[in-house]
Amino acid sequence: MADFKTSSSILTKECLRTQICGEGEWPKNTVLYQPYETEQILLPDNSKCLSVKTFLKMAGLEFIVEARENAEYMSPHRGKVPFIKAGQFLVADFEPIVNFAQSKGYSLSTHLDEAQKWDLRVYMALVNNVLLNAEIYVAWNHELTYKELTKPRYSSVYPFPLNHWATYYKRREMLSHLDVLGWKKKTLDEVFKEVERICESLSNFLADKKYFFGEKPTDLDALVFGHLFSIITTPLLNNRFAATIRAYDNLVQLCVRIETEFYQSRIL
């Protein structure tokens, strides 16, 4: 644990304040910290990291990615990844990073009217309350997935006996989170029904538009892409999670569009 505290202390000393600063230039050499993708990151964190990276790309903001095995311990808000080091500021998680960019004059939602901004907030809350919790449920509460995938991946970067303790405490934290929100006692079928309902709602809202609010992407497009793309492309013990999303062709095509336009690649 000493290494975790040391890393966090170093970054904290470099960043004397974590509040949002006033409007100005986007800090040069902004770094986005996240867990290792190949051997460590889990579905919920991968979704959040991809959402933030996509938002930054959509906003035209430069950043570099640094993967750290102890990224969640380095975060200014413990457990929250990704986080960015932008000049003297540390900012963690999707919404605070979006707000930080807006404070610098970079926003994807300035063209929206008040009614559209309300819709934006509502659907973003739905994504966080349903898709993110469903990802956490599958990764940490579904026993077989936890044993076969989550535990080996999460513990792989830590030495013995820290690997056991870190995984134990992380699972306890995640199960407590689900319990508080009323998700821990759901069945897997109930979780997938929740996912299907939000996918239907998102699909109806998107309809045949290029992005959720027309021709320009917004924070919602970045957030939805991060979650849907991660779910579709993350190997799990069965494909029901991905299959639920693939049943909505316009959502899949949205992911393809964003992947092609902002990542110049095509996996889906």
Side-chain angles (χ1 to χ4, degrees), residues 122-193:
V122 168
Y123 279 99
M124 287 180 65
L126 282 173
V127 170
N128 285 321
N129 290 335
V130 178
L131 289 182
L132 179 57
N133 284 328
E135 293 162 2
I136 294 171
Y137 180 100
V138 170
W140 292 100
N141 197 42
H142 183 244
E143 196 66 32
L144 189 57
T145 301
Y146 170 74
K147 289 180 178 178
E148 297 292 328
L149 297 178
T150 302
K151 187 176 182 180
R153 284 184 64 83
Y154 188 82
S155 63
S156 65
V157 296
Y158 304 128
F160 178 84
L162 182 58
N163 57 341
H164 294 292
W165 284 108
T167 308
Y168 169 80
Y169 283 113
K170 182 67 176 183
R171 191 186 197 199
R172 189 173 71 171
E173 178 187 348
M174 292 296 96
L175 293 184
S176 176
H177 167 84
L178 293 174
D179 194 28
V180 168
L181 297 176
W183 277 71
K184 184 180 177 182
K185 294 183 179 179
K186 288 181 183 290
T187 66
L188 193 58
D189 283 341
E190 288 173 334
V191 169
F192 284 125
K193 285 178 182 177

Side-chain angles (χ1 to χ4, degrees), residues 55 59 61 98 101-102 104-111 117 217 219:
F55 165 77
L61 299 172
V98 168
Q102 289 177 345
K104 293 294 188 179
Y106 299 91
S107 174
L108 298 178
S109 59
T110 53
H111 62 290
K117 288 179 180 178
D219 314 341

Side-chain angles (χ1 to χ4, degrees), residues 12-43:
T12 301
K13 288 178 181 178
E14 291 176 358
C15 307
L16 300 178
R17 297 173 297 164
T18 57
Q19 69 268 26
I20 303 303
C21 61
E23 190 169 335
E25 292 295 322
W26 179 253
K28 294 181 180 179
N29 301 319
T30 293
V31 180
L32 182 147
Y33 290 93
Q34 67 167 60
Y36 286 108
E37 287 187 2
T38 303
E39 62 269 53
Q40 179 187 20
I41 201 167
L42 301 173
L43 175 58

Side-chain angles (χ1 to χ4, degrees), residues 7-18 21 25-34 52 56 62-66 68 71 74-76 80-93 97 100 104:
S7 298
S8 179
S9 176
I10 290 172
L11 279 176
T12 301
K13 288 178 181 178
E14 291 176 358
C15 307
L16 300 178
R17 297 173 297 164
T18 57
C21 61
E25 292 295 322
W26 179 253
K28 294 181 180 179
N29 301 319
T30 293
V31 180
L32 182 147
Y33 290 93
Q34 67 167 60
V52 170
L56 294 175
E62 293 186 3
F63 65 99
I64 59 173
V65 177
E66 283 199 20
R68 298 286 181 86
M74 295 166 59
S75 173
K80 296 286 187 180
V81 290
F83 71 95
I84 61 171
K85 179 179 180 296
Q88 61 179 330
F89 300 97
L90 289 175
V91 190
D93 221 359
I97 291 173
F100 178 82
K104 293 294 188 179

